[in-house]
Amino acid sequence: MAGRFEIYREQDHFRFRLTGDDGATLVTSEPYEDKDTTVAGINGIRDCAASALITDLS
């Protein structure tokens, strides 16, 4: 799967979303004050997502 990160502006802050190959939104971020911290948030997801553990809290 080769999803896509999309950065967008929402009122007075930035957010990003990760979309799948089919265009479905998989993840929506918290609000960020500027584009640089938004990109840093994306890079943080990229760094840890592949090795993140799954914890079932149900």
Side-chain angles (χ1 to χ4, degrees):
M1 179 171 125
R4 178 170 68 180
F5 286 98
E6 301 174 338
I7 297 173
Y8 61 98
R9 191 165 182 101
E10 186 177 82
Q11 297 172 353
D12 60 346
H13 55 267
F14 291 89
R15 289 183 183 266
F16 69 83
R17 63 181 153 243
L18 173 60
T19 60
D21 291 338
D22 61 356
T25 298
L26 304 173
V27 174
T28 301
S29 75
E30 63 185 357
Y32 292 93
E33 291 188 22
D34 57 47
K35 203 176 283 188
D36 289 339
T37 54
T38 307
V39 171
I42 291 170
N43 288 330
I45 295 292
R46 284 179 165 169
D47 289 344
C48 73
S51 61
L53 300 176
I54 297 171
T55 303
D56 185 352
L57 300 177
S58 58

